[in-house]
Amino acid sequence: GRSPAGASASPSAASHSSEHTLADDGLTWWQASFSLVVVVVGAGVMALPQLPTKSGVAGCFLAMLLCSAVIMESGIAMWEAIMAGNGSPKCAGGKKRIISYEDFGRAALGGPGEVVVLFMQVLSYIGLAASYTMLISDSVAHLSDFWMPPRQWLLVLSPMFGLMALLPNVSAVAKVVPVAA
């Protein structure tokens, strides 16, 4: 929502805002970035309890250090790229600002760069969805004391996952939350 002070500002003052927001289009660039990080971290957190059993304490500590370094370096690189791309004279001359991952690809390689970024995003989201479905089917198999193996639970749960994927937004899921409680 907008504040009353922001609502009374003139349109020309709003267009010269220091931060580009996408109030009509969706999220700001930092909100989209934070959302992506939360999803990736959430998937990783679900797998963390198995890490020490597979690699030991030393391997776990090394993996944590490596992941921390990669996350910090990629975050800094992304921030620098956004600042460089949005601070360029071309941006002020009517060129589109960098506000999404697709904009990075377009700025680097034009149309083909945008297609490559979109393709990689689709692959990562499919991989993430596959990881979650396997994790859920493993968990349900464990909770049911292996009444059915995880692969069979995956087949049983797939229609529910498909229906949930067709929901228009997350608020539609809120209607069935009392059932889970």
Side-chain angles (χ1 to χ4, degrees):
R2 291 185 174 173
S3 66
S8 63
S10 69
S12 62
S15 66
H16 290 58
S17 172
S18 63
E19 180 182 355
H20 177 72
T21 59
L22 301 174
D24 297 329
D25 299 330
L27 303 173
T28 61
W29 67 267
W30 65 269
Q31 289 171 326
S33 301
F34 184 74
S35 176
L36 184 63
V37 168
V38 167
V39 168
V40 171
V41 168
V45 166
M46 299 300 278
L48 279 179
Q50 293 296 319
L51 190 58
T53 62
K54 305 259 184 205
S55 65
V57 175
C60 186
F61 184 72
L62 288 173
M64 182 181 66
L65 288 177
L66 178 66
C67 288
S68 298
V70 168
I71 289 169
M72 286 191 312
E73 181 61 30
S74 63
I76 291 169
M78 185 171 136
W79 177 257
E80 289 175 350
I82 288 171
M83 293 297 109
N86 290 342
S88 71
K90 291 189 276 185
C91 187
K95 184 140 176 145
K96 285 192 168 189
R97 297 174 58 106
I98 296 176
I99 55 174
S100 68
Y101 292 111
E102 295 89 350
D103 292 340
F104 278 117
R106 191 179 319 108
L109 301 172
E114 183 178 6
V115 170
V116 168
V117 169
L118 284 171
F119 181 72
M120 293 307 294
Q121 282 182 316
V122 168
L123 282 181
S124 68
Y125 289 133
I126 289 172
L128 188 64
S131 299
Y132 273 122
T133 56
M134 289 304 299
L135 184 65
I136 291 169
S137 65
D138 283 342
S139 297
V140 171
H142 181 72
L143 289 172
S144 69
D145 203 21
F146 294 95
W147 180 63
M148 287 193 300
R151 288 186 181 186
Q152 288 179 354
W153 275 113
L154 183 62
L155 289 173
V156 169
L157 295 172
S158 290
M160 181 185 68
F161 296 147
L163 289 173
M164 288 179 67
L166 294 173
L167 293 174
N169 54 39
V170 181
S171 64
V173 176
K175 295 175 184 172
V176 294
V177 170
V179 174

